[in-house]
Amino acid sequence: MLSVSSKQTSAGDWTAEASLDELEQLANTAGAVVVGRISQRLPAPSKTFYVGTGKVDELEALKDKAEYDVVIADDELTPLQQHNLEERLKVKIIDRVALILDIFAARAHTREGRLQVELAQQIYRYPRLAGQWTHLERLGAGIGTRGPGETQLETDRRIVREKIHRLEQQTEDVRKHRDLYRQRRKRSAVPVVAIVGYTNAGKSTLFNALSEAKVLVEDKLFATLDPTTRRVRLPGGGSILLTDTVGFIRKLPPTIVTAFRATLEELSEASVLLHVVDISSRYALQQSKVVEETLAQLELAEKPVIKVLNKADLLLPAASRSTEADAAGYLSEATKSVAASELTVLASAVKKWGLDRLLAAVDELLMPSKPAAPDASQNGPSQA
């Protein structure tokens, strides 16, 4: 597999290298082996090939040397771009959206998850059906060429439209069922706390550490797709319903946001959001901003948030026997700015560092009438 990007972002944002690093992680998660990468800085992607014609020539020249059989683009391709690249390179061309959907399809285990993934796949597929019939143009114009192709194309479009409609109805049924469940939870007066964050930030590990659950944990993107909820006791004697949710990622396709509306509505009912950040990542600041922007798009920006700076143990030298208190000293200026403006807790879900402070902070937010407690970020990055 060869990964391709057509635009380098500005300084301080995601660079082409960072973007392709993430694309490679996605490809590895999907089971592909990356044999090379190409990037090109353009004011905007080429409407014809996504990259410029010179880069297409370069891709063509690399085919024998790299022996790639799939090319993955780091953006959503138009049907025309995908078709033109396939015609020129004679290999399968997929884009970032198709790659994420493929991973989601492999990760969805519940009926709800499978429904939502299939809906997103069908919405993505619909505008690309025409490209599957362009081979009929080679037959030439005239009687007996265009008609049958158009008929088959319209048949396929009708089938996909019907599938989309059926899946939307089934997803709506899921949404109504979830809404009834949320109404019962409201009557029980148990607050909901939802874990959100960038994919692979350690959300499921934190969920397991707080709830003693056994949710699957893997060092892969989108290891968790189906939401899970467990009851967790708070230091003050109360309890919460803690929910683990699907991770966010940059360039999250609108088709996925639309299809996963039923699941994402769970976030709207949460009293507090735990925004988990992989503080050991060199892209921690960028990933944190992506999550904040996504929450804003979902109209959740006003929710109370505790930022959990996870994987603090990875800030320490590999051979070090240092403790939790030493981790704050290894925070870089960039990661300090991740925590500068809101309530934060430095933590390690693996080492179970900072979990008591985190639960105390949740307790404080849910019970504002209690006497003020010490800042949950004490000994954390905002004090470093």
Side-chain angles (χ1 to χ4, degrees), residues 279 309 312 315 326-336 339 346 380-382 384:
I279 202 63
L309 306 185
L315 297 172
D326 300 310
Y330 288 90
L331 288 171
S332 67
E333 290 302 317
T335 53
K336 283 180 184 178
L346 186 66
S382 61

Side-chain angles (χ1 to χ4, degrees), residues 81-327:
Q81 290 168 335
Q82 183 175 356
H83 170 69
N84 287 342
L85 284 171
E86 286 181 341
E87 284 287 293
R88 181 72 178 272
L89 300 176
K90 308 300 182 188
V91 297
K92 185 177 182 179
I93 307 294
I94 64 174
D95 59 21
R96 183 184 179 90
V97 178
L99 181 60
I100 291 174
L101 288 174
D102 184 77
I103 294 169
F104 274 30
R107 299 284 176 173
H109 300 299
T110 64
R111 176 177 177 271
E112 176 186 354
R114 289 193 291 269
L115 276 175
Q116 292 175 128
V117 171
E118 187 179 357
L119 175 57
Q121 287 175 322
Q122 295 298 335
I123 293 172
Y124 172 81
R125 181 187 175 202
Y126 183 76
R128 290 163 175 78
L129 285 172
Q132 299 175 14
W133 294 97
T134 52
H135 66 281
L136 293 172
E137 297 172 1
R138 301 173 191 159
L139 299 176
I143 297 172
T145 55
R146 294 185 59 184
E150 289 174 347
T151 301
Q152 185 60 58
L153 176 59
E154 286 306 312
T155 299
D156 284 359
R157 281 176 169 164
R158 176 177 53 78
I159 291 171
V160 173
R161 281 197 303 268
E162 290 172 352
K163 282 184 179 179
I164 290 173
H165 180 66
R166 185 180 71 253
L167 290 166
E168 285 176 337
Q169 287 182 319
Q170 291 175 315
T171 303
E172 180 62 18
D173 290 341
V174 169
R175 191 196 68 78
K176 289 178 180 177
H177 178 75
R178 277 192 172 274
D179 188 55
L180 288 173
Y181 179 62
R182 284 195 294 267
Q183 293 302 319
R184 287 199 297 270
R185 284 195 317 213
K186 280 184 178 179
R187 288 195 292 271
S188 71
V190 179
V192 176
V193 174
I195 300 177
V196 299
Y198 209 78
T199 180
N200 208 31
K203 297 182 301 300
S204 294
T205 305
L206 180 66
F207 179 81
N208 288 341
L210 291 172
S211 67
E212 298 182 358
K214 296 181 180 179
V215 171
L216 173 68
V217 174
E218 291 185 273
D219 188 18
K220 291 183 178 180
L221 304 187
F222 299 113
T224 299
L225 185 59
D226 301 307
T228 306
T229 301
R230 294 287 187 275
R231 186 181 289 261
V232 174
R233 297 286 294 179
L234 294 176
S239 62
I240 58 171
L241 291 176
L242 184 67
T243 299
D244 187 20
T245 62
V246 63
F248 296 148
I249 196 168
R250 58 188 290 271
K251 303 180 183 178
L252 190 67
T255 51
I256 291 178
V257 176
T258 299
F260 278 74
R261 180 172 62 96
T263 297
L264 293 174
E265 281 181 353
E266 287 289 298
L267 301 179
S268 66
E269 298 298 320
S271 300
V272 176
L273 301 179
L274 304 184
H275 174 185
V276 182
V277 180
D278 176 2
I279 202 63
S280 70
S281 171
R282 56 178 170 164
Y283 308 124
L285 180 59
Q286 293 93 329
Q287 291 174 356
S288 178
K289 286 182 177 179
V290 168
V291 174
E292 290 165 359
E293 290 166 0
T294 305
L295 291 174
Q297 291 168 8
L298 296 170
E299 299 182 350
L300 299 171
E302 301 305 314
K303 288 278 183 184
V305 173
I306 300 173
K307 190 166 285 187
V308 185
L309 306 185
N310 192 32
K311 304 188 183 182
D313 57 301
L314 298 182
L315 297 172
L316 303 172
S320 171
R321 294 188 179 183
S322 300
T323 62
E324 175 183 0
D326 300 310

